[in-house]
Amino acid sequence: MSDFSFKDLDVLHESGIFSHLDYYFSTTMANIFKDSGPLEIISAALTCRALSKGCICLNLTSVAGTVLKSSEGKELIQLPELECWCNILENSAMVGTQVSNCGKKENDMASCIGNYPLILDRDNDLYLSRYYDFQCRLSENIRARIKRQIPGPDDAFVAHRPASYFDSQDTNKTFGQLQAVKKALCSGFIVVSGGPGTGKTYITDIIQTLLSTWANENDLAPPTVMCLAPTGKAAARLKNGATIHSALKPVKNGTGFRYNEANPLAADLVIVDEASMIDMALMTRLLEAIRPDARIVMLGDMNQLSPVQAGAVFFDLCHADVLSDFRVFLDVNFRSGGKVGIEKLAKAVNVSDADTVADILKADYPDLVFVDTAEEKEGYQARLESSILEGYKSLWDAVSIEQAMAAIDDFRVLCAHNLGHSGTLQINHLCEKILRSKEKDGINRPVFKMLLMVRRNDYKRLLFNGDTCVVIEENGMSTAWFDEKQSGTRHFRLSDLPECEPGFAVTVHKSQGSEFDTVLIIIPEQISPVVTRQLLYTGITRSRKKVIIFGSMPMIRQAVQTSVERRSNLQALLDGE
């Protein structure tokens, strides 16, 4: 199929291929660039669609010549061959281009950004101009940081002082931690990737202490430290932690942040935790708001789910060759010593070993429970309700605010989706129904306790997306209590909270940055592109003590063998390709 019409755009929208946003963006471009043909407008919609799937660009090479089908399998349109497609885009008034692999046109890319809504690069990747700009700025920022010499401890200090913190431990296990500390003392930018329990937080404490010691010994002011994370939950685990948004301070009634390249943060050392959750746009703005002569320690787990928004930045940083001397991987779990089922399961999932995953789930590990919903269809619902009731028992039995706060992270149900039979909406409803039914059991409790999760940032009250509270109902008044870990509890009237949702069951995406004693993971019964190796790994590693999985073995096998692919060229740009 070589001819396209604007009617094709409507067909793709009505069939669900294009969202309302994709359709609105492309039709807006059609109204602005009135001479553009239908293929250019469809390309704009496809690029917007790729962004919603987490890719910052549309790779024309991989989709050229493919057929777009409806959810029922009906063939709708066939996309053009690569050379034809590139030629049309290179001659479009709405596309700025580099020298592409199949064309000759060349523009000054700096002038393209802002003048063209779409950018086509030499690798045949089509971007929204804004995201091409973010990628270029982020790459330039990082490359400048690794080239810059940061004043700091001398060679003798680096060679001997860090080792004293690991003298009493197995050097084979602490080698990675020691290397991370040394690299942080010598460099202005380092990346540390490791799963839960690998000591990422521990080494940041050592880095801060050593930099303060060196400054004191040289009659210098101690370094100003900022510890940041993308969510309130993750920030609460850091010493004097703050969310990235609260630190950068969004401009009221406007766009952007108060702290930026022209007005940087007053910090000598910036520690960024849960960096795998940070998307391309936010990472760019964060690094631009950090002084060029400040140290940055980037912590995360490259095997976790990528950010909800576009750009798997941390994953790219963990694979760029140019950062090999500025990167450390931690793989020793100090919590378990490699002897428990959770760690074995996480490792097997990580390497897509479906057979080993199946063997581990069928084995008898005290910290793993697997309910095969395909084999236990009749007893599935009863076991699910029993597990939920047992999981939230400590919260329900609490007779004081202090006890409720202590139990808030004992248990959580994790889902793949919000909608559907196994989605958070349905499971939260089930949780409330089960827990309210306990009134008939005569269990001693003064009030009903509801878990709520904040959905929208409230900078006035310092409440952020993902923060979880316990709602206590007493004397007709509903009060929401938050545990701030470091500063104690805070409470607000329920009516004063920003937009919230029930928090008994949350998506695995929303659970990132949090840890619970026990997690119950519900795997959907139907095939879903969301259910991947990364989702399963992230859910499993949210647990400190026990994992309960409800799902069929065929679906789990498929999830283990399915991986999320996020398209960007950040890694290639960093490596100068």
Side-chain angles (χ1 to χ4, degrees), residues 271-349:
I271 296 168
V272 185
D273 198 11
E274 297 292 348
S276 59
M277 298 174 63
I278 306 174
D279 60 81
M280 180 77 72
L282 184 58
M283 186 70 85
T284 302
R285 287 168 168 154
L286 172 61
L287 263 61
E288 288 182 343
I290 298 173
R291 296 198 326 260
D293 62 343
R295 281 182 169 80
I296 298 176
V297 178
M298 198 81 65
L299 310 172
D301 185 348
M302 68 173 182
N303 298 306
Q304 281 191 22
L305 282 167
S306 298
V308 175
Q309 303 298 325
V313 177
F314 192 77
F315 183 88
D316 288 338
L317 297 183
C318 288
H319 290 83
D321 292 338
V322 73
L323 294 177
S324 60
D325 292 335
F326 303 87
R327 183 172 59 221
V328 176
F329 297 112
L330 303 178
D331 55 10
V332 177
N333 189 322
F334 291 90
R335 292 181 189 166
S336 64
K339 298 179 181 178
V340 298
I342 292 175
E343 185 181 357
K344 291 182 178 180
L345 181 61
K347 287 183 176 180
V349 168

Coordinates of all heavy atoms in Angstrom, one line a residue, residues 271-349:
I271 N 23.5 13.4 45.7 CA 23.2 11.9 45.6 C 21.8 11.7 45.1 O 20.9 12.2 45.7 CB 23.4 11.3 47.0 CG1 24.9 11.4 47.5 CG2 23.0 9.8 47.0 CD1 25.1 11.1 48.9
V272 N 21.7 11.0 44.0 CA 20.4 10.8 43.4 C 20.1 9.3 43.5 O 20.7 8.4 42.9 CB 20.4 11.2 41.9 CG1 19.0 11.1 41.3 CG2 20.9 12.6 41.8
D273 N 19.0 9.0 44.3 CA 18.6 7.6 44.5 C 17.5 7.2 43.6 O 16.7 8.1 43.1 CB 18.3 7.3 46.0 CG 18.3 5.8 46.3 OD1 18.8 5.0 45.5 OD2 17.8 5.5 47.4
E274 N 17.3 5.9 43.3 CA 16.2 5.4 42.5 C 16.3 6.1 41.1 O 15.2 6.5 40.5 CB 14.8 5.6 43.1 CG 14.6 4.9 44.4 CD 14.6 3.3 44.2 OE1 14.5 2.9 43.0 OE2 14.7 2.6 45.2
A275 N 17.5 6.3 40.6 CA 17.7 7.0 39.3 C 17.0 6.3 38.1 O 16.8 6.9 37.1 CB 19.1 7.3 39.1
S276 N 16.8 5.0 38.3 CA 16.1 4.3 37.1 C 14.7 4.7 36.9 O 14.1 4.5 35.8 CB 16.2 2.8 37.4 OG 15.5 2.5 38.6
M277 N 14.1 5.5 37.8 CA 12.8 6.0 37.7 C 12.7 7.3 37.0 O 11.6 7.9 36.8 CB 12.1 6.1 39.1 CG 12.0 4.8 39.8 SD 11.4 5.0 41.5 CE 9.8 5.7 41.2
I278 N 13.9 7.9 36.7 CA 13.9 9.3 36.2 C 13.9 9.3 34.7 O 14.7 8.7 34.1 CB 15.1 10.1 36.8 CG1 15.2 10.0 38.3 CG2 15.1 11.5 36.3 CD1 16.4 10.6 38.9
D279 N 12.9 10.0 34.1 CA 12.8 10.1 32.7 C 13.8 11.1 32.1 O 14.4 11.8 32.8 CB 11.3 10.4 32.3 CG 10.9 11.7 32.8 OD1 11.2 12.8 32.2 OD2 10.2 11.8 33.9
M280 N 13.8 11.1 30.7 CA 14.7 11.9 30.0 C 14.6 13.4 30.3 O 15.6 14.1 30.6 CB 14.6 11.7 28.5 CG 15.5 12.5 27.6 SD 17.2 11.8 27.6 CE 16.9 10.4 26.6
A281 N 13.3 13.9 30.3 CA 13.1 15.3 30.6 C 13.5 15.8 32.0 O 14.2 16.8 32.1 CB 11.6 15.7 30.3
L282 N 13.1 15.0 33.0 CA 13.5 15.4 34.3 C 15.0 15.2 34.6 O 15.6 16.1 35.3 CB 12.7 14.5 35.3 CG 12.9 14.9 36.8 CD1 12.5 16.3 37.1 CD2 12.0 14.0 37.7
M283 N 15.6 14.2 34.1 CA 17.0 14.0 34.3 C 17.8 15.2 33.7 O 18.8 15.6 34.2 CB 17.5 12.7 33.7 CG 18.9 12.3 34.0 SD 19.2 11.9 35.7 CE 18.8 10.1 35.7
T284 N 17.4 15.6 32.5 CA 18.1 16.7 31.8 C 18.0 18.0 32.7 O 19.0 18.7 32.9 CB 17.5 17.0 30.5 OG1 17.5 15.8 29.7 CG2 18.2 18.2 29.8
R285 N 16.8 18.3 33.2 CA 16.6 19.5 34.0 C 17.4 19.4 35.3 O 17.9 20.4 35.8 CB 15.1 19.7 34.2 CG 14.4 20.2 33.0 CD 12.9 20.1 33.1 NE 12.3 20.9 32.0 CZ 11.1 20.6 31.6 NH1 10.4 19.6 32.1 NH2 10.6 21.3 30.6
L286 N 17.4 18.2 35.9 CA 18.1 18.0 37.2 C 19.6 18.2 37.0 O 20.2 19.0 37.7 CB 17.9 16.6 37.7 CG 18.7 16.2 38.9 CD1 18.4 17.1 40.1 CD2 18.5 14.7 39.3
L287 N 20.2 17.6 36.0 CA 21.7 17.7 35.8 C 22.1 19.1 35.4 O 23.1 19.6 35.8 CB 22.2 16.7 34.8 CG 22.8 15.4 35.4 CD1 21.7 14.7 36.2 CD2 23.3 14.5 34.3
E288 N 21.2 19.8 34.7 CA 21.5 21.2 34.3 C 21.4 22.1 35.5 O 22.0 23.2 35.6 CB 20.5 21.7 33.2 CG 20.9 21.1 31.9 CD 20.0 21.5 30.8 OE1 18.9 22.1 31.1 OE2 20.3 21.4 29.6
A289 N 20.6 21.7 36.6 CA 20.5 22.5 37.8 C 21.6 22.3 38.8 O 21.6 22.9 39.9 CB 19.1 22.3 38.4
I290 N 22.5 21.3 38.5 CA 23.6 21.0 39.4 C 24.8 21.6 38.9 O 25.2 21.5 37.7 CB 23.8 19.5 39.5 CG1 22.5 18.8 40.1 CG2 25.0 19.1 40.4 CD1 22.5 17.3 40.1
R291 N 25.6 22.4 39.7 CA 26.8 23.1 39.3 C 27.7 22.1 38.5 O 27.9 21.0 38.9 CB 27.5 23.7 40.5 CG 26.7 24.8 41.2 CD 27.7 25.6 42.1 NE 28.8 24.8 42.6 CZ 28.8 24.3 43.9 NH1 27.8 24.6 44.7 NH2 29.9 23.7 44.3
P292 N 28.4 22.6 37.5 CA 29.4 21.8 36.8 C 30.5 21.3 37.7 O 31.1 20.2 37.4 CB 29.9 22.7 35.7 CG 28.9 23.8 35.5 CD 28.3 24.0 36.9
D293 N 30.9 22.0 38.8 CA 31.9 21.5 39.6 C 31.5 20.7 40.8 O 32.2 20.5 41.7 CB 32.8 22.8 40.1 CG 31.9 23.7 40.9 OD1 30.7 23.6 40.9 OD2 32.5 24.6 41.7
A294 N 30.2 20.3 40.8 CA 29.7 19.5 41.9 C 29.8 18.0 41.6 O 29.8 17.7 40.4 CB 28.2 19.9 42.2
R295 N 29.9 17.2 42.6 CA 29.9 15.8 42.4 C 28.5 15.2 42.3 O 27.6 15.7 43.1 CB 30.6 15.1 43.6 CG 32.2 15.2 43.5 CD 32.8 14.4 44.7 NE 34.2 14.3 44.5 CZ 35.1 15.2 44.7 NH1 34.7 16.4 45.2 NH2 36.4 15.0 44.5
I296 N 28.3 14.2 41.5 CA 27.0 13.6 41.4 C 27.2 12.1 41.5 O 28.1 11.5 40.9 CB 26.3 13.8 40.0 CG1 26.1 15.3 39.8 CG2 25.1 13.0 39.9 CD1 25.5 15.7 38.4
V297 N 26.5 11.5 42.5 CA 26.5 10.0 42.6 C 25.1 9.5 42.3 O 24.1 9.8 42.9 CB 26.8 9.6 44.1 CG1 26.8 8.1 44.2 CG2 28.2 10.2 44.5
M298 N 25.0 8.8 41.2 CA 23.7 8.3 40.7 C 23.5 6.9 41.1 O 24.3 6.0 40.7 CB 23.7 8.4 39.1 CG 22.4 8.4 38.5 SD 21.5 10.0 38.5 CE 22.6 11.0 37.5
L299 N 22.5 6.6 41.8 CA 22.2 5.2 42.3 C 20.9 4.7 41.7 O 19.9 5.4 41.5 CB 22.0 5.2 43.9 CG 23.1 5.9 44.7 CD1 22.7 6.0 46.2 CD2 24.4 5.2 44.6
G300 N 20.9 3.4 41.4 CA 19.7 2.8 40.9 C 19.9 1.3 40.6 O 20.9 0.7 41.0
D301 N 18.9 0.8 40.0 CA 18.9 -0.6 39.6 C 18.5 -0.7 38.1 O 17.3 -0.5 37.8 CB 17.9 -1.4 40.4 CG 18.0 -2.9 40.2 OD1 18.6 -3.3 39.2 OD2 17.4 -3.7 41.0
M302 N 19.4 -1.0 37.2 CA 19.2 -1.0 35.8 C 18.2 -2.0 35.4 O 17.7 -2.0 34.2 CB 20.5 -1.1 35.0 CG 21.1 -2.4 35.1 SD 22.6 -2.5 34.0 CE 23.1 -4.2 34.3
N303 N 17.9 -3.0 36.2 CA 17.0 -4.1 35.9 C 15.6 -3.8 36.2 O 14.7 -4.6 35.9 CB 17.5 -5.4 36.6 CG 18.9 -5.8 36.1 OD1 19.1 -6.0 34.9 ND2 19.8 -6.0 37.1
Q304 N 15.3 -2.7 36.9 CA 14.0 -2.4 37.3 C 13.2 -1.8 36.1 O 13.8 -1.6 35.0 CB 14.0 -1.4 38.4 CG 14.2 -1.9 39.8 CD 13.9 -0.9 40.9 OE1 13.2 0.1 40.7 NE2 14.5 -1.1 42.0
L305 N 11.9 -1.6 36.3 CA 11.1 -1.0 35.3 C 11.7 0.4 34.9 O 12.2 1.1 35.8 CB 9.7 -0.8 35.8 CG 8.8 -2.1 35.8 CD1 7.5 -1.8 36.6 CD2 8.4 -2.4 34.3
S306 N 11.5 0.7 33.6 CA 11.9 2.1 33.2 C 10.9 3.1 33.7 O 9.8 2.7 34.1 CB 12.0 2.1 31.7 OG 13.0 1.2 31.2
P307 N 11.2 4.4 33.6 CA 10.2 5.4 34.0 C 8.9 5.3 33.3 O 8.9 4.8 32.1 CB 10.9 6.7 33.7 CG 12.4 6.4 33.6 CD 12.4 5.0 33.1
V308 N 7.9 5.8 33.9 CA 6.6 5.8 33.2 C 6.7 6.8 32.0 O 6.1 6.5 30.9 CB 5.5 6.3 34.2 CG1 4.1 6.5 33.4 CG2 5.3 5.4 35.3
Q309 N 7.3 7.9 32.2 CA 7.5 8.8 31.0 C 8.7 8.3 30.2 O 9.3 7.4 30.5 CB 7.8 10.2 31.6 CG 6.8 10.8 32.5 CD 5.4 10.9 31.8 OE1 5.4 11.2 30.6 NE2 4.3 10.7 32.5
A310 N 8.9 9.0 29.1 CA 9.8 8.5 28.0 C 11.3 8.7 28.4 O 11.7 9.6 29.1 CB 9.6 9.3 26.7
G311 N 12.1 7.6 28.0 CA 13.5 7.7 28.2 C 14.0 6.8 29.3 O 13.8 7.1 30.5
A312 N 14.7 5.7 29.0 CA 15.3 4.8 30.0 C 16.7 5.3 30.2 O 17.7 4.6 29.9 CB 15.3 3.4 29.6
V313 N 16.9 6.5 30.9 CA 18.2 7.1 31.0 C 19.2 6.3 31.8 O 20.3 6.1 31.3 CB 18.0 8.5 31.7 CG1 19.4 9.2 31.8 CG2 17.1 9.4 30.8
F314 N 18.8 5.8 32.9 CA 19.7 5.1 33.8 C 20.2 3.8 33.1 O 21.4 3.4 33.2 CB 19.0 4.7 35.1 CG 20.0 4.2 36.2 CD1 20.8 5.1 36.9 CD2 20.1 2.8 36.4 CE1 21.7 4.6 37.8 CE2 21.0 2.4 37.4 CZ 21.8 3.3 38.1
F315 N 19.3 3.1 32.4 CA 19.7 1.9 31.6 C 20.8 2.3 30.6 O 21.8 1.6 30.4 CB 18.5 1.3 30.9 CG 18.8 0.1 30.1 CD1 18.8 -1.2 30.8 CD2 19.2 0.1 28.8 CE1 19.1 -2.4 30.1 CE2 19.5 -1.1 28.1 CZ 19.4 -2.3 28.7
D316 N 20.6 3.4 29.9 CA 21.6 3.9 28.9 C 22.9 4.2 29.6 O 24.0 3.9 29.0 CB 21.1 5.1 28.1 CG 20.0 4.7 27.2 OD1 19.9 3.6 26.8 OD2 19.2 5.6 26.8
L317 N 22.9 4.8 30.7 CA 24.1 5.2 31.5 C 24.9 3.9 31.9 O 26.1 3.9 31.9 CB 23.8 6.0 32.7 CG 23.1 7.4 32.5 CD1 22.9 8.1 33.8 CD2 23.9 8.2 31.5
C318 N 24.1 2.9 32.1 CA 24.8 1.6 32.6 C 25.4 0.8 31.4 O 26.0 -0.2 31.7 CB 23.8 0.8 33.3 SG 23.3 1.4 35.0
H319 N 25.1 1.3 30.2 CA 25.7 0.6 29.0 C 26.6 1.4 28.1 O 27.1 0.8 27.2 CB 24.5 0.0 28.2 CG 23.8 -1.1 28.9 ND1 22.8 -0.9 29.9 CD2 23.9 -2.5 28.8 CE1 22.3 -2.1 30.3 NE2 23.0 -3.0 29.7
A320 N 26.7 2.7 28.4 CA 27.5 3.5 27.5 C 29.0 3.2 27.8 O 29.5 3.2 29.0 CB 27.2 5.0 27.8
D321 N 29.8 2.9 26.8 CA 31.2 2.6 26.9 C 32.0 3.7 27.5 O 32.9 3.5 28.3 CB 31.8 2.2 25.5 CG 31.2 1.0 25.0 OD1 30.7 0.1 25.8 OD2 31.3 0.8 23.8
V322 N 31.6 5.0 27.2 CA 32.4 6.1 27.7 C 32.3 6.3 29.2 O 33.2 6.9 29.8 CB 31.9 7.4 27.0 CG1 30.5 7.8 27.6 CG2 32.9 8.6 27.2
L323 N 31.3 5.6 29.8 CA 31.2 5.7 31.3 C 31.7 4.5 32.0 O 31.5 4.3 33.2 CB 29.7 5.9 31.6 CG 29.0 7.2 31.2 CD1 27.5 7.2 31.5 CD2 29.7 8.4 31.8
S324 N 32.4 3.6 31.3 CA 32.9 2.4 31.9 C 33.8 2.7 33.2 O 33.8 1.9 34.1 CB 33.7 1.5 30.9 OG 34.8 2.2 30.4
D325 N 34.6 3.8 33.1 CA 35.4 4.1 34.3 C 34.7 4.9 35.4 O 35.3 5.2 36.4 CB 36.6 4.9 33.8 CG 37.6 4.1 33.0 OD1 37.6 2.8 33.1 OD2 38.3 4.7 32.1
F326 N 33.4 5.2 35.1 CA 32.6 6.0 36.0 C 31.4 5.2 36.5 O 30.4 5.8 36.9 CB 32.2 7.3 35.3 CG 33.3 8.1 34.8 CD1 33.8 7.9 33.5 CD2 33.9 9.1 35.6 CE1 34.9 8.6 33.0 CE2 35.0 9.9 35.1 CZ 35.5 9.6 33.8
R327 N 31.5 3.9 36.5 CA 30.4 3.1 36.7 C 30.8 1.9 37.6 O 31.8 1.3 37.4 CB 29.8 2.6 35.4 CG 28.5 1.8 35.5 CD 27.9 1.7 34.1 NE 28.9 1.0 33.2 CZ 29.1 1.3 31.9 NH1 28.4 2.3 31.4 NH2 29.9 0.7 31.1
V328 N 29.9 1.5 38.5 CA 30.1 0.3 39.3 C 28.8 -0.5 39.4 O 27.7 0.1 39.6 CB 30.6 0.7 40.7 CG1 30.7 -0.6 41.6 CG2 31.9 1.4 40.7
F329 N 28.9 -1.8 39.3 CA 27.8 -2.7 39.4 C 27.9 -3.5 40.8 O 29.0 -4.1 41.0 CB 27.7 -3.7 38.3 CG 27.4 -3.0 36.9 CD1 28.4 -3.1 36.0 CD2 26.2 -2.4 36.7 CE1 28.2 -2.5 34.7 CE2 26.0 -1.8 35.5 CZ 27.0 -1.8 34.5
L330 N 26.9 -3.4 41.6 CA 26.9 -4.2 42.9 C 26.0 -5.4 42.7 O 24.8 -5.2 42.4 CB 26.5 -3.3 44.0 CG 27.3 -2.0 44.2 CD1 26.6 -1.1 45.3 CD2 28.7 -2.2 44.5
D331 N 26.5 -6.6 43.0 CA 25.7 -7.8 42.8 C 25.7 -8.7 44.1 O 25.1 -9.8 44.0 CB 26.2 -8.6 41.6 CG 27.7 -8.9 41.7 OD1 28.3 -8.7 42.8 OD2 28.2 -9.4 40.7
V332 N 26.3 -8.2 45.2 CA 26.2 -9.0 46.4 C 25.1 -8.5 47.3 O 25.1 -7.3 47.7 CB 27.6 -9.0 47.1 CG1 27.5 -9.8 48.5 CG2 28.7 -9.5 46.3
N333 N 24.2 -9.4 47.6 CA 23.1 -9.0 48.5 C 23.5 -9.3 49.9 O 23.6 -10.5 50.3 CB 21.8 -9.8 48.1 CG 20.6 -9.3 48.9 OD1 20.6 -8.9 50.0 ND2 19.4 -9.3 48.2
F334 N 23.7 -8.3 50.7 CA 24.2 -8.4 52.1 C 23.0 -8.8 53.0 O 23.3 -9.2 54.2 CB 24.9 -7.1 52.6 CG 26.2 -6.9 51.9 CD1 26.2 -6.1 50.7 CD2 27.3 -7.4 52.4 CE1 27.4 -5.9 50.0 CE2 28.5 -7.2 51.7 CZ 28.6 -6.4 50.5
R335 N 21.8 -8.7 52.6 CA 20.7 -9.0 53.5 C 20.5 -10.5 53.5 O 20.1 -11.1 54.6 CB 19.4 -8.4 53.0 CG 19.3 -6.9 53.1 CD 18.0 -6.4 52.5 NE 18.0 -4.9 52.4 CZ 17.1 -4.2 51.8 NH1 16.1 -4.9 51.2 NH2 17.1 -2.9 51.7
S336 N 20.7 -11.2 52.4 CA 20.4 -12.6 52.4 C 21.5 -13.6 52.2 O 21.4 -14.7 52.5 CB 19.4 -12.9 51.2 OG 20.1 -12.6 50.0
G337 N 22.7 -13.1 51.7 CA 23.8 -13.9 51.5 C 23.6 -14.9 50.4 O 24.3 -15.9 50.3
G338 N 22.6 -14.7 49.6 CA 22.3 -15.6 48.4 C 21.6 -16.9 48.8 O 21.6 -17.9 48.0
K339 N 21.1 -17.0 50.0 CA 20.5 -18.3 50.5 C 19.0 -18.4 50.5 O 18.5 -19.4 50.8 CB 21.0 -18.5 51.9 CG 22.5 -18.7 52.1 CD 22.9 -18.9 53.5 CE 24.5 -19.0 53.6 NZ 24.9 -19.1 55.0
V340 N 18.3 -17.3 50.1 CA 16.9 -17.3 50.2 C 16.2 -17.3 48.8 O 16.8 -17.0 47.8 CB 16.3 -16.1 51.0 CG1 16.9 -16.1 52.4 CG2 16.7 -14.8 50.3
G341 N 14.9 -17.7 48.8 CA 14.2 -17.9 47.6 C 14.0 -16.6 46.8 O 14.1 -16.6 45.6
I342 N 13.8 -15.5 47.5 CA 13.5 -14.2 46.8 C 14.7 -13.8 46.0 O 14.6 -13.5 44.8 CB 13.2 -13.1 47.9 CG1 11.9 -13.4 48.5 CG2 13.2 -11.7 47.2 CD1 11.6 -12.4 49.7
E343 N 15.9 -13.9 46.5 CA 17.1 -13.5 45.7 C 17.3 -14.5 44.6 O 17.6 -14.0 43.4 CB 18.4 -13.5 46.6 CG 19.6 -13.0 45.9 CD 20.8 -13.0 46.7 OE1 20.7 -13.3 47.9 OE2 21.9 -12.6 46.2
K344 N 17.1 -15.8 44.8 CA 17.3 -16.7 43.7 C 16.3 -16.5 42.6 O 16.6 -16.5 41.4 CB 17.2 -18.1 44.2 CG 18.4 -18.6 45.1 CD 18.2 -20.0 45.5 CE 19.4 -20.5 46.4 NZ 19.2 -21.9 46.8
L345 N 15.1 -16.2 43.0 CA 14.0 -15.9 42.0 C 14.3 -14.6 41.2 O 14.1 -14.6 40.0 CB 12.7 -15.8 42.7 CG 11.4 -15.5 41.8 CD1 11.2 -16.7 40.9 CD2 10.2 -15.3 42.7
A346 N 14.7 -13.6 41.9 CA 15.0 -12.3 41.2 C 16.1 -12.5 40.2 O 16.1 -12.0 39.1 CB 15.4 -11.3 42.3
K347 N 17.2 -13.3 40.6 CA 18.3 -13.5 39.6 C 17.8 -14.3 38.4 O 18.3 -14.0 37.3 CB 19.4 -14.2 40.4 CG 20.2 -13.3 41.3 CD 21.4 -14.1 42.0 CE 22.2 -13.1 42.9 NZ 23.3 -13.8 43.5
A348 N 17.0 -15.3 38.7 CA 16.5 -16.1 37.5 C 15.6 -15.3 36.6 O 15.7 -15.4 35.4 CB 15.8 -17.3 38.1
V349 N 14.8 -14.5 37.2 CA 13.9 -13.6 36.3 C 14.8 -12.6 35.5 O 14.6 -12.4 34.3 CB 13.0 -12.8 37.2 CG1 12.3 -11.7 36.4 CG2 11.9 -13.7 37.8

